[in-house]
Amino acid sequence: GAVVSQHPSWVICKSGTSVKIECRSLDFQATTMFWYRQFPKQSLMLMATSNEGSKATYEQGVEKDKFLINHASLTLSTLTVTSAHPEDSSFYICSANHPTGSYEQYFGPGTRLTVT
Amino acid sequence: EDQVTQSPEALRLQEGESSSLNCSYTVSGLRGLFWYRQDPGKGPEFLFTLYSAGEEKEKERLKATLTKKESFLHITAPKPEDSATYLCAVQATDAGNMLTFGGGTRLMVKP
């Protein structure tokens, strides 16, 4: 149990375009999901907390108008990178808390974004 | 502010050479400490949760321990397939579900 998937696994886009990344909990419902960003050889940085049916909570320094998060259902959260630039190239990972009452977060496989 | 520091940053071991990874933490109130394994280009894989000092958990060649200031991940007789980055994270009682991650330890096990 507690499987989280992401789509796509990698994407290349041109500067100025927008890209949507999907995060799904496959075998459980997740009222809260998290979006992280990871640069090469660095640890995970929390970008935002996505709450089903309400607005996301963004970490300090993360532009909410650039990184749009939508949590439309209990199994799906999306991250849209708007007007992407090369500096947005990174590894984006989502996670969700298992609903059993434990506090573990289960992570998706990640999405590699390259902006040319 | 919650802080997590992992050491060493990188560790090279020969197959069968046991060692330990350290995770030092500062947190207002600890709800849980988590260990993850991350392979290159993949998301972190959950390993252990520790909730209170003195707690220990084991899985195959891995054993995690916890004190009030730090956690250790002991690797006994490692194999090349144990090569990965090991991440430690803490969750504070006043931080909702947010995890604070350490920088990770890159483990390389040579045959």
Side-chain angles (χ1 to χ4, degrees):
Chain A
V3 178
V4 178
S5 71
Q6 281 184 242
H7 179 80
S9 56
W10 59 271
V11 57
I12 301 173
C13 70
K14 292 186 176 180
S15 187
T17 62
S18 295
V19 174
K20 180 186 286 187
I21 302 170
E22 293 184 348
C23 176
R24 294 182 185 272
S25 55
L26 297 185
D27 52 359
F28 66 102
Q29 294 183 329
T31 55
T32 303
M33 291 183 172
F34 306 88
W35 287 96
Y36 294 82
R37 185 173 181 176
Q38 187 175 35
F39 292 105
K41 296 188 177 182
Q42 293 189 24
S43 193
L44 282 71
M45 289 177 50
L46 179 66
M47 298 175 64
T49 301
S50 171
N51 301 296
E52 189 268 335
S54 64
K55 291 184 178 181
T57 303
Y58 291 83
E59 295 301 302
Q60 191 172 8
V62 177
E63 299 175 60
K64 61 181 181 180
D65 294 330
K66 181 169 189 60
F67 298 99
L68 301 180
I69 292 173
N70 183 277
H71 196 151
S73 77
L74 288 172
T75 60
L76 174 64
S77 175
T78 60
L79 169 67
T80 301
V81 183
T82 63
S83 187
H85 291 282
E87 56 265 31
D88 299 323
S89 298
S90 190
F91 193 52
Y92 292 88
I93 313 174
C94 70
S95 72
N97 275 105
H98 198 275
T100 57
S102 65
Y103 298 106
E104 294 104 15
Q105 286 185 21
Y106 291 86
F107 287 82
T111 296
R112 172 74 60 193
L113 170 64
T114 303
V115 184
T116 60
Chain B
E1 181 182 346
D2 304 331
Q3 290 189 334
V4 181
T5 304
Q6 291 187 247
S7 62
E9 289 187 7
L11 180 62
R12 291 175 182 262
L13 299 174
Q14 287 295 132
E15 184 173 2
E17 180 186 1
S18 301
S19 188
S20 297
L21 282 55
N22 177 264
C23 171
S24 297
Y25 65 92
T26 303
V27 65
S28 52
L30 181 69
R31 172 180 287 154
L33 184 142
F34 307 86
W35 282 98
Y36 290 87
R37 168 189 170 130
Q38 186 176 26
D39 292 300
K42 297 187 178 181
E45 174 189 349
F46 171 75
L47 293 174
F48 304 109
T49 308
L50 300 167
Y51 292 106
S52 57
E55 190 175 0
E56 298 182 353
K57 288 193 177 173
E58 289 189 63
K59 180 180 179 180
E60 296 180 352
R61 295 178 292 281
L62 301 177
K63 179 180 178 180
T65 62
L66 179 67
T67 72
K68 290 185 177 181
K69 295 183 179 180
E70 58 191 351
S71 176
F72 290 94
L73 184 65
H74 307 277
I75 303 178
T76 302
K79 297 181 178 181
E81 52 262 41
D82 295 323
S83 298
T85 295
Y86 290 86
L87 298 168
C88 171
V90 298
Q91 189 175 80
T93 53
D94 61 355
N97 292 312
M98 192 177 103
L99 292 178
T100 300
F101 278 89
T105 294
R106 292 192 304 281
L107 174 65
M108 293 153 281
V109 182
K110 293 190 173 182

